[in-house]
Amino acid sequence: MRFSTGTAAILACIWLQDGVEGFSTRSHPFSRTSITKNSISDSKRSSTRISSTAVAEAVNGSQQTVAPPPEIRLNVPEKARTVISVCTSGTLCTSSHMEDIQGAPFGSFVDYVLDDKGNPVLLMNEMSMHTVNIQKAGPEGLVTLFAQLGGPTSSTGQASHGQDVSRCSVTGTISKIEPSAEDWDAIRMRYGIAHSYADQVMDSPKFHFYRLTPTRIYYVGGFGVSSEWVPPEEYKLATPDILAKEASSIMEKLNRDHADDLMLTAAQILDVNEIEKVRVTGVDRLGMDMRVTSRVPRRKNKLITDEFRVGFRIPVISVEDAKSEILKVFQESWEKSN
């Protein structure tokens, strides 16, 4: 783009508050830690960083912005699709038909893959209790598949952290997939790649593929953070985050090897004072989430924790791109401190 005389390039940093709701006061070894929405001060405080280059042109006395700020958060359907895509196992909840507990929720650990529309596909033994429950419930019977990032239900390879991880519940009807289905060969191949044991049993007459068609999807971002129902249509159209399978390792490295850089970022970019601790709690193609604990002014024995979102200047398309963007944030923090 060519600029006439009077053209000014403006680096715009827009700061939005986005605290955490639903946290109660937590105990701390030496004080009480509280996490609330407006926990730092009553005034607007830097919680989200959006960096973009906006250009203002003087045209007949008017000004025009040609570069709007970029999106810095995944939308909820993308987050839900990411959780279900990264996980390869979960808990399948069916309605029990066993005498004395008829109608009670019955949970079973199951493996699955996704078809091209994001529908979970399971390979189940016809004699398994959950399969019996499904058959007795009939075609209109509802089941729920629960999946959670971290631990044995996720392909990230990282251990879970209790309730402080993203999770998703997919509720819908489930039906047997016939060999005549258009995606039959793709399902067999996909399942065999994801679960090595499948090749030994998928041709057995006692094992069958089942497809779960969602009617309701519920996403939870972690302990005390956002939760929302996701329309199945939006879930199907959503794209899983490209960094999802590497996010845990990136966060682990940042928290282990870059503590000083994170402290400097909290002080210089997020404008937090008297910082006690900083941790990265999330990374995706649009930015990273940071949890900052600091001391309350005039009450040094009290700690307060806030959640911040630091947006990348551009969406990343690889792990190397993400590392580059994070280093740019650290560099900006260092430059501001000098």
Side-chain angles (χ1 to χ4, degrees):
M1 180 181 294
R2 299 184 63 184
F3 303 105
S4 59
T5 303
T7 298
I10 305 169
L11 182 63
C13 291
I14 301 174
W15 304 84
L16 303 174
Q17 174 121 16
D18 185 26
V20 179
E21 299 184 66
F23 275 77
S24 58
T25 301
R26 284 179 167 183
S27 60
H28 185 272
F30 304 102
S31 62
R32 295 176 66 81
T33 302
S34 61
I35 304 177
T36 57
K37 185 173 182 179
N38 297 310
S39 54
I40 293 183
S41 67
D42 294 333
S43 61
K44 288 288 183 181
R45 196 68 177 275
S46 161
S47 294
T48 301
R49 172 175 170 271
I50 307 177
S51 295
S52 63
T53 302
V55 179
E57 293 194 48
V59 181
N60 297 326
S62 65
Q63 289 186 340
Q64 181 180 3
T65 299
V66 298
E71 294 292 335
I72 64 164
R73 293 182 184 274
L74 299 178
N75 59 43
V76 178
E78 287 176 323
K79 292 178 180 179
R81 184 68 180 263
T82 297
V83 172
I84 297 299
S85 299
V86 170
C87 297
T88 56
S89 303
T91 300
L92 181 67
C93 297
T94 58
S95 181
S96 176
H97 288 265
M98 183 69 178
E99 188 177 354
D100 296 334
I101 59 169
Q102 190 168 5
F106 184 85
S108 305
F109 184 83
V110 295
D111 292 327
Y112 70 89
V113 295
L114 300 182
D115 64 14
D116 291 338
K117 296 181 179 179
N119 299 318
V121 174
L122 301 82
L123 179 62
M124 301 190 297
N125 189 322
E126 63 182 24
M127 300 179 65
S128 298
M129 186 58 66
H130 49 268
T131 309
V132 173
N133 291 336
I134 290 170
Q135 292 172 342
K136 290 187 176 181
E140 300 302 319
L142 295 174
V143 302
T144 295
L145 177 66
F146 172 81
Q148 170 174 300
L149 292 181
T153 67
S154 170
S155 60
T156 60
Q158 301 294 322
S160 64
H161 300 280
Q163 297 184 68
D164 197 19
V165 291
S166 299
R167 47 197 180 270
C168 196
S169 297
V170 180
T171 300
T173 57
I174 189 166
S175 58
K176 184 186 297 186
I177 303 176
E178 300 298 335
S180 58
E182 291 184 1
D183 58 351
W184 176 257
D185 292 334
I187 287 174
R188 285 174 57 91
M189 181 178 66
R190 197 169 298 175
Y191 208 99
I193 293 173
H195 306 289
S196 58
Y197 67 85
D199 290 335
Q200 304 173 28
V201 299
M202 67 172 61
D203 290 323
S204 168
K206 294 184 178 180
F207 283 82
H208 307 280
F209 284 108
Y210 286 78
R211 194 191 318 266
L212 198 169
T213 303
T215 56
R216 293 287 187 273
I217 299 169
Y218 190 64
Y219 169 81
V220 180
F223 181 62
V225 297
S226 62
S227 59
E228 189 172 327
W229 290 99
V230 178
E233 297 77 15
E234 295 183 16
Y235 164 83
K236 291 179 181 179
L237 296 174
T239 302
D241 183 63
I242 196 168
L243 294 182
K245 293 185 178 181
E246 305 294 335
S248 293
S249 60
I250 294 174
M251 288 187 292
E252 182 183 16
K253 183 174 179 60
L254 287 173
N255 291 325
R256 184 188 65 235
D257 301 336
H258 295 273
D260 292 341
D261 293 322
L262 293 174
M263 294 283 280
L264 193 61
T265 298
Q268 298 298 324
I269 300 295
L270 305 178
D271 195 26
V272 181
N273 299 316
E274 300 195 40
I275 303 166
E276 289 289 317
K277 185 178 180 180
V278 182
R279 287 189 63 80
V280 176
T281 59
V283 178
D284 56 57
R285 69 177 184 272
L286 300 181
M288 61 180 177
D289 298 308
M290 295 174 61
R291 180 170 295 168
V292 183
T293 301
S294 60
R295 292 196 176 275
V296 179
R298 298 181 299 277
R299 297 185 62 182
K300 303 301 183 181
N301 64 333
K302 184 179 181 181
L303 299 180
I304 198 166
T305 300
D306 282 313
E307 302 285 341
F308 296 85
R309 176 68 171 180
V310 179
F312 297 149
R313 288 169 173 77
I314 58 172
V316 302
I317 58 174
S318 69
V319 174
E320 292 305 316
D321 281 351
K323 292 178 180 178
S324 175
E325 287 299 310
I326 293 170
L327 289 176
K328 288 177 183 177
V329 174
F330 292 161
Q331 180 179 358
E332 182 178 340
S333 302
W334 183 84
E335 290 174 353
K336 285 190 173 186
S337 68
N338 290 278

